Amino acid sequence: MPARAKLPGLRRAAAECRGCPLHGPASQTVFGAGDAKAPLVLIGEQPGDQEDRKGHPFVGPAGHVLNRALEEAGIDPERTYVTNAVKHFKFEHVPERGKRRIHKPPNLRELSACRPWLAAELALIDPEVLVALGASAGKALLGSSFRVTKQRGVLLPCPAIGDYQGRGDLVATIHPSAVLRADDREAVFAGLVSDLRVAVRALDSQP
């Protein structure tokens, strides 16, 4: 972890990270992107297949869902910073599914290995509100006891993580990919938007 680096320096350093085995099969590190002074930071789980290929977070189908939800919630994407709890794509090959790379959720070791990068991002941006998108993001911030089904959509105090002092608020919600997997996509999408509006109200209440 480079000392006193800004976001571009962190991004360059993270590209060489060998903190866990995920760097081997992944195409590249996918670091965070967006407004370096954003009042709102959105934290997902890990890059997906398209993010791994393009080197940018939330550019696949889940990213399109997220952008649509942000618009409905009244959040300007240009004033956000998006990143992931884990910076490499974790996947497996399933023979019956051909050459497709099938997403696998990160384990606690992988979340812990990437936590210093996340903490360094947050310390530099110092956002007013964090949004944890999904269970893995919530666990990276709040620990292994976090359950998105029980803690979503409520305003929580943001914990300190490394150099980040956790001065802001935290809202947890589902990962946008859950909308794509749902039988009733409209209802699940509405729930995501509702949770994001909690983050909007928290931003509006900031002095």
Side-chain angles (χ1 to χ4, degrees):
M1 186 67 60
R4 295 185 295 277
K6 301 299 184 184
L7 285 173
L10 286 179
R11 185 175 290 107
R12 289 191 296 270
E16 304 300 323
C17 182
R18 301 295 183 268
C20 78
L22 294 185
H23 71 86
S27 301
Q28 58 188 310
T29 303
V30 180
F31 206 69
D35 183 356
K37 297 181 180 179
L40 177 67
V41 171
L42 300 140
I43 303 167
E45 176 185 85
Q46 64 168 341
D49 180 79
Q50 292 189 38
E51 289 82 3
D52 176 66
R53 297 179 192 279
K54 297 177 181 178
H56 197 86
F58 287 99
V59 293
H64 297 312
V65 172
L66 177 60
N67 286 334
R68 188 160 59 92
L70 291 173
E71 182 179 357
E72 287 213 17
I75 298 170
D76 181 0
E78 296 298 317
R79 297 194 66 232
T80 68
Y81 183 90
V82 292
T83 190
N84 283 296
V86 170
K87 312 301 187 193
H88 287 113
F89 180 33
K90 182 178 182 180
F91 62 90
E92 63 181 346
H93 289 290
V94 179
E96 58 267 27
R97 301 187 69 173
K99 295 183 178 180
R100 285 187 61 193
R101 302 188 299 174
I102 308 302
H103 160 273
K104 290 184 68 177
N107 59 36
L108 288 177
R109 175 191 175 189
E110 292 149 358
L111 288 169
S112 297
C114 254
R115 209 163 184 252
W117 297 111
L118 178 61
E121 287 177 288
L122 295 177
L124 285 170
I125 299 167
D126 194 25
E128 296 170 9
V129 179
L130 304 181
V131 175
L133 300 166
S136 293
K139 289 178 181 178
L141 295 166
L142 297 169
S144 60
S145 64
F146 171 81
R147 296 293 181 270
V148 68
T149 52
K150 295 182 178 180
Q151 294 169 273
R152 64 176 292 185
V154 297
L155 208 57
L156 302 169
C158 188
I161 307 169
D163 291 335
Y164 175 58
Q165 298 304 308
R167 74 174 181 89
D169 296 312
L170 170 66
V171 179
T173 186
I174 57 171
H175 194 278
S177 62
V179 176
L180 300 172
R181 297 191 302 268
D183 293 328
D184 188 347
R185 291 188 178 186
E186 184 175 336
V188 176
F189 179 78
L192 171 60
V193 172
S194 177
D195 293 341
L196 290 174
R197 285 176 175 151
V198 175
V200 172
R201 290 194 292 272
L203 284 172
D204 290 344
S205 69
Q206 295 290 332

